[in-house]
């Protein structure tokens, strides 16, 4: 647009209304004075600057080792005799027999006494002149059969090899089945155990009952012997065969003691009543020897031999009783001395 085309402005503008004077204006209220404020300077801590992370060092490259070719050595022939196996420890591997308990002192001597009396009672040193083969042959075979079953029960408990029927008879519990043991109690027993753990089997079992029944039946076989009489009638010259019962009873007790010590050697418990019964064997064998030299009726060389052997075995067993008492006294004195030393050291520590 050019200047000539612009519109012309009017020369006079319309008059505006006049503003009111100061007198007529409304008075405004006075504002209160503000109190001065103190401004405190706040020091700002500088933000920590993160340290730059170190660059990871490059992993050294390992040069490949040269392959070493082992020289070919011809195999040596295996030795004919294998090396002796390492000694077993109480922590034996499954399937291996645990080590045997050391037999020394009274236990070893008692086993010797049991073997001696067992050998002496195999002879009919009391029953030859009083009974027949039913007593001094069949009776002893039945007794030994029962003792053999009891021996096998110990072998089964120790984890040994036994016939199949023994395992069947020895694995069935008679009566109430024992409740399972608490794991904490089992762990505490294992900690306090001095020997290896043994195979737990129930007791009693048919194997135990049959063994005891056969042993007792064999002892009382003289009651079934037709050639002997337990209670002869009055006025009869036939002697009583009560001595035959004693002979079989001593045989069973000696064999049972041997089995008991066999179990003790395999970490069973020891019963002190076994050596006490051998005192009667000592007197029985001794009286037989005295009767032979005194001219007793019915005394033979066989009775003398059996009496001597049984008396020797009974004497060894009697000695084991004294030996056990002496060992117990020594252990008691050692414990008493150790307790006195402990108390003395405790008093000296309190004084210091």
């Amino acid at each position: 647009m050019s200047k000539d085309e612009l519109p012309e402005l009017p020369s006079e503008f319309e008059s505006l209304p006049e503003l009111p004077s100061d007198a007529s204006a409304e008075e405004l209220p006075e504002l209160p004075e503000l109190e001065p404020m103190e401004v405190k300077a706040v020091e700002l801590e500088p933000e920590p600057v993160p340290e730059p992370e170190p660059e990871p060092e490059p992993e050294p490259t390992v040069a490949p080792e040269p392959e070493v070719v082992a020289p070919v050595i011809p195999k040596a022939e295996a030795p004919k005799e294998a090396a002796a196996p390492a000694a077993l420890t109480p922590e034996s591997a499954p399937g291996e027999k645990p080590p045997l308990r050391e037999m020394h002192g009274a236990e070893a001597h008692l086993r010797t006494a049991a073997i001696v009396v067992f050998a002496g009672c195999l002879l009919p040193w009391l029953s030859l002149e009083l009974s027949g083969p039913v007593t001094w042959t069949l009776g002893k075979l039945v007794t030994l059969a029962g003792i053999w079953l009891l021996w096998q029960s110990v072998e089964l408990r120790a984890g040994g090899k036994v016939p199949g029927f023994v395992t069947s008879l020895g694995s069935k519990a008679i009566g109430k089945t024992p409740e399972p043991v608490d794991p904490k109690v089992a762990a505490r027993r294992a900690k306090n155990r001095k020997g290896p753990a043994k195979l737990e089997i129930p007791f009693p079992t048919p194997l135990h009952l049959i063994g005891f029944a056969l042993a007792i039946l064999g002892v009382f076989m003289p009651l079934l012997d037709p050639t002997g009489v337990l209670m002869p009638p009055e006025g009869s010259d036939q002697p009583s065969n009560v001595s035959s019962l004693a002979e079989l009873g001593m045989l069973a007790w000696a064999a049972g003691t041997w089995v008991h010590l066999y179990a003790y050697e395999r970490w069973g418990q020891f019963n002190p009543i076994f050596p006490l019964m051998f005192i009667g064997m000592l007197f029985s064998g001794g009286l037989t020897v005295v009767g032979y030299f005194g001219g007793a009726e019915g005394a033979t060389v066989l009775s003398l031999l059996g009496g001597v052997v049984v008396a020797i075995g009974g004497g060894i067993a009697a000695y084991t009783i004294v030996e056990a008492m002496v060992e117990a006294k020594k252990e008691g004195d050692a414990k008493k001395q150790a307790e006195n030393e402990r108390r003395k050291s405790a008093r000296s520590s309190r004084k210091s």
Side-chain angles (χ1 to χ4, degrees):
M1 182 182 292
S2 62
K3 288 183 178 183
D4 296 336
E5 294 178 357
L6 291 174
E8 292 182 359
L9 296 174
S11 58
E12 293 181 1
F13 292 96
E14 295 180 0
S15 60
L16 297 173
E18 294 181 358
L19 295 172
S21 62
D22 295 338
S24 62
E26 295 180 1
E27 294 183 359
L28 297 174
E30 295 182 0
L31 297 174
E33 296 182 358
L34 299 176
E35 296 180 359
M37 296 178 64
E38 296 181 0
V39 180
K40 296 181 179 180
V42 179
E43 296 181 359
L44 298 176
E45 297 181 358
E47 295 182 0
V49 180
E51 297 180 358
E53 297 181 358
E55 296 181 0
E57 298 180 359
E59 297 181 358
T61 57
V62 181
E65 296 181 358
E67 296 183 358
V68 179
V69 180
V72 179
I73 302 175
K75 294 183 179 180
E77 295 182 358
K80 295 181 180 180
E81 296 182 359
L88 294 174
T89 60
E91 300 296 334
S92 299
E96 294 183 358
K97 285 188 177 181
L100 301 180
R101 175 184 282 166
E102 294 183 2
M103 300 282 289
H104 53 81
E107 294 85 5
H109 295 155
L110 181 60
R111 180 173 57 184
T112 303
I115 295 174
V116 171
V117 174
F118 176 80
C121 288
L122 287 177
L123 302 174
W125 61 290
L126 290 177
S127 61
L128 184 61
E129 299 294 331
L130 303 176
S131 302
V134 174
T135 296
W136 41 261
T137 300
L138 183 60
K140 292 182 180 181
L141 290 177
V142 173
T143 300
L144 294 180
I147 297 298
W148 182 82
L149 290 179
L150 297 178
W151 186 289
Q152 293 300 311
S153 69
V154 176
E155 193 69 23
L156 176 63
R157 182 182 65 182
K161 294 182 180 180
V162 295
F165 77 94
V166 171
T167 305
S168 301
L169 293 175
S171 302
K172 298 177 182 179
I174 295 178
K176 185 178 179 180
T177 305
E179 298 180 357
V181 183
D182 186 8
K184 295 182 179 179
V185 177
R188 185 169 63 251
R189 290 177 180 175
K191 183 179 180 181
N192 298 331
R193 188 185 298 119
K194 297 181 180 179
K198 58 179 179 295
L199 180 65
E200 295 294 340
I201 62 172
F203 180 87
T205 64
L207 182 64
H208 296 97
L209 296 185
I210 295 175
F212 284 119
L214 289 177
I216 295 173
L217 177 63
V219 171
F220 287 94
M221 285 299 288
L223 300 179
L224 306 176
D225 196 334
T227 60
V229 179
L230 183 64
M231 299 293 293
E234 295 183 3
S236 175
D237 296 335
Q238 188 177 7
S240 172
N241 63 352
V242 176
S243 299
S244 302
L245 291 172
E247 178 183 302
L248 291 171
M250 286 185 282
L251 174 67
W253 192 265
T257 304
W258 194 358
V259 173
H260 178 68
L261 293 173
Y262 185 77
Y264 175 77
E265 192 177 14
R266 282 146 186 81
W267 305 94
Q269 299 295 328
F270 181 78
N271 193 338
I273 197 174
F274 280 91
L276 294 176
M277 298 300 294
F278 281 83
I279 298 177
M281 303 178 192
L282 171 63
F283 284 104
S284 178
L287 291 176
T288 303
V289 174
V290 173
Y292 174 82
F293 288 106
E297 184 179 358
T300 61
V301 177
L302 187 62
S303 63
L304 172 64
L305 179 60
V308 170
V309 174
V310 172
I312 292 174
I316 296 174
Y319 170 73
T320 61
I321 299 175
V322 179
E323 188 178 13
M325 294 174 62
V326 172
E327 290 179 359
K329 185 177 183 306
K330 288 181 180 179
E331 292 179 0
D333 293 342
K335 291 180 180 179
K336 185 177 180 181
Q337 185 177 0
E339 181 65 18
N340 293 337
E341 293 293 336
R342 187 189 65 80
R343 292 180 180 179
K344 187 184 296 184
S345 61
R347 286 195 298 266
S348 60
S349 61
R350 284 197 298 268
K351 290 180 181 179
S352 60

